[in-house]
Amino acid sequence: MSSSALKIGLLGLGTVGGGTIAVLSRNADVIARRAGRPIEVVAASARDITKPRAFDLSGIALVEDPIELVGRPDVDVVVELIGGTTPAKDLVLAALENGKHVVTANKALIALHGNEIFEAAQRTQTMVGFEAAVAGGIPVIKAAREALSGNRIEWIAGIINGTCNFILSAMSEPGREFEPVLAEAQALGYAEADPSFDIDGIDAAHKLTILAAIAFGIPLQFESVFVEGIRHISRADVEYAARLGYRIKHLAMARQVADGIELRVHPTLIPTSQLLANVDGVMNAIMINGDAAGPTLYYGAGAGAEPTASAVVADLVDVARAFGSDSENRVPPLAFQADRLTDLPIVSMEALETAYYLRLHVLNQAGVLADVTRVLGAGGISIEAILQQESDPGAAIVPIIILVHPVPEHAMNQALVEIAALSQVHEPIVKIRMESLT
Ligand code: HSE
């Protein structure tokens, strides 16, 4: 074991920064035995460096200017925990140019600028660790990148936004609607600073971008991800889905099909019999289906001070072990060798083939269901189940739930245009995709 410590410069002293300092200090002995050397935070920088903090900063040089921190001669690794892309991107690139290794928890940074960052790291022979960027404490990057490297990965399905999962889980309890549950998630500190990143699916799309690149050897391409959030999901849909044997989850899916890769984030009905359907509250879970391993499932805390710090520290241990090694022989950040990525096409949503849950509001009169099913039949769309609940006597408009077997999305959309044009059908028409995960 080398006696010289791996020296860390910390950018950001927020929740995860504090968690990282705490874990490195509390578990210093086991971490050093695993890493082969101690790991010590020697310097830190934050927006307000003088602010009183609840964690111990003794022995850590506090630096006003983050640019100074990423150039300090006594820093081996810069840990970026400030989030967002500005100024994080410039600081990370500056750190790499200064020959520092980088560990980051920043999913937006890797999803949007990872190609440039990894290119800079390769040129400067430095390492970039980002386990903490996807699903906090769950070691899913390492699993997909290293432990499954003998597989052709067929698909990944993940619940990778805790806030959405908290909201959808709470909405399955009696009397809980979207808005008050979102307010509770914000009060509990689960949501991003801008909660639209969570509930409109952006955060999950950042994480899926990273997982898909690792799984399929494609460049990072956030702009190719189809993104739909959970604002339009109502308690009624959650209840109808449950009656039919499904849970609604905000699912991130990446799948290799004949024409390329599907990359999509949207609410999805999952059979209650699937483990993934039973992941509740803020917890995250990712299922990866490999041709050799079959389905594997990774579950845990997707955010929080120490779960995220756990991933940051694991990356630091990896850096310590590989420190000074020939950069050619290190694990490539995106699993595939940089010159062996393939730019497979991303399948358009119109071409996607999947099953659907539909909720229609129709006039309570004879022949309406026949008209709706005629349109579906003419479009080659096969019905799996229909549910019409008893409604109040005399109700003029009643909801009808229809589940249909897998069909190309363009055919589903065309049929819904025709159904919406029927005079007996009223707005809104709700359409939610379904996945069997088999
Ligand atoms: N806001 C994120 C979530 C935190 O709800 O999962 C971790 O990225």
Side-chain angles (χ1 to χ4, degrees):
M1 176 155 144
S2 163
S3 56
S4 70
L6 186 76
K7 298 195 185 71
I8 311 303
L10 206 54
L11 283 173
L13 286 171
T15 309
V16 181
T20 302
I21 289 172
V23 171
L24 282 172
S25 155
R26 188 175 73 239
N27 297 340
D29 56 340
V30 283
I31 290 168
R33 283 166 57 208
R34 291 181 177 129
R37 58 202 297 194
I39 299 179
E40 285 171 11
V41 180
V42 296
S45 176
R47 211 173 7 212
D48 181 359
I49 202 69
T50 56
K51 189 168 110 179
R53 289 183 164 83
F55 39 89
D56 183 12
L57 293 174
S58 54
I60 300 176
L62 299 179
V63 182
E64 290 264 357
D65 183 0
I67 275 288
E68 184 197 324
L69 182 123
V70 302
R72 278 175 76 101
D74 61 347
V75 165
D76 301 314
V77 188
V78 170
V79 174
E80 184 277 305
L81 301 174
I82 49 184
T85 53
T86 309
K89 179 188 169 196
D90 288 344
L91 291 168
V92 161
L93 288 174
L96 298 174
E97 294 301 336
N98 291 333
K100 313 297 182 195
H101 306 287
V102 169
V103 169
T104 177
N106 191 331
K107 58 242 160 169
L109 178 70
I110 298 297
L112 299 176
H113 302 292
N115 297 323
E116 185 181 347
I117 288 169
F118 296 135
E119 190 276 321
Q122 192 175 23
R123 187 166 36 76
T124 56
Q125 302 192 1
T126 49
M127 293 175 262
V128 178
F130 54 96
E131 180 67 67
V134 179
I138 308 175
V140 65
I141 299 285
K142 211 170 187 54
R145 182 174 60 198
E146 293 161 53
L148 294 174
S149 52
N151 287 254
R152 278 182 198 283
I153 293 180
E154 292 166 348
W155 51 262
I156 294 184
I159 294 172
I160 47 179
N161 183 269
T163 302
C164 283
N165 204 40
F166 178 81
I167 293 172
L168 291 175
S169 303
M171 281 170 67
S172 66
E173 294 160 18
R176 313 231 29 215
E177 278 294 351
F178 179 84
E179 289 295 342
V181 178
L182 169 61
E184 188 185 339
Q186 286 176 286
L188 290 167
Y190 300 144
E192 296 289 300
D194 176 355
S196 64
F197 265 51
D198 296 300
I199 57 185
D200 294 330
I202 311 295
D203 177 77
H206 285 148
K207 296 165 183 168
L208 182 69
T209 300
I210 299 171
L211 288 174
I214 289 173
F216 303 114
I218 55 176
L220 293 154
Q221 48 197 307
F222 171 73
E223 65 289 350
S224 306
V225 183
F226 170 83
V227 190
E228 195 179 282
I230 63 166
R231 286 184 203 263
H232 63 293
I233 302 298
S234 73
R235 241 188 84 66
D237 295 315
V238 174
E239 275 176 15
Y240 287 129
R243 280 167 154 258
L244 291 160
Y246 295 85
R247 304 283 309 273
I248 300 180
K249 293 291 174 189
H250 191 241
L251 203 69
M253 282 284 314
R255 188 199 311 264
Q256 179 143 26
V257 291
D259 297 336
I261 306 286
E262 293 173 7
L263 270 184
R264 49 197 172 94
V265 171
H266 51 72
T268 309
L269 268 76
I270 305 174
T272 311
S273 56
Q274 283 283 355
L275 284 173
L276 208 55
N278 296 286
V279 171
D280 282 331
V282 277
M283 299 308 274
N284 283 195
I286 302 104
M287 221 173 150
I288 305 182
N289 201 52
D291 67 338
T296 54
L297 180 66
Y298 310 87
Y299 169 88
E306 293 214 356
T308 311
S310 161
V312 168
V313 173
D315 276 346
L316 290 173
V317 170
D318 277 354
V319 172
R321 287 170 174 159
F323 199 81
S325 69
D326 175 358
S327 63
E328 304 256 301
N329 296 320
R330 295 177 188 152
V331 178
L334 293 178
F336 289 69
Q337 301 295 334
D339 59 352
R340 302 300 299 275
L341 300 184
T342 339
D343 213 350
L344 290 169
I346 304 304
V347 177
S348 78
M349 286 304 279
E350 285 280 288
L352 171 74
E353 198 165 313
T354 186
Y356 294 90
Y357 159 103
L358 308 173
R359 175 160 57 96
L360 312 179
H361 296 89
V362 301
L363 287 183
N364 195 7
Q365 64 185 36
V368 178
L369 204 52
D371 289 342
V372 169
T373 54
R374 193 175 314 114
V375 173
L376 292 174
I381 300 170
S382 161
I383 295 171
E384 188 191 340
I386 297 189
L387 174 69
Q388 182 178 356
Q389 225 176 315
E390 279 179 359
S391 40
D392 296 338
I397 295 178
V398 292
I400 291 181
I401 313 303
I402 304 178
L403 305 187
V404 304
H405 287 294
V407 57
E409 182 133 335
H410 64 82
M412 185 76 259
N413 289 345
Q414 178 56 38
L416 289 180
V417 168
E418 291 172 31
I419 287 170
L422 295 172
S423 60
Q424 312 93 314
V425 175
H426 289 231
E427 295 287 322
I429 294 180
V430 176
K431 174 189 90 176
I432 308 176
R433 298 173 188 86
M434 301 173 62
E435 287 293 337
S436 61
L437 301 179
T438 49

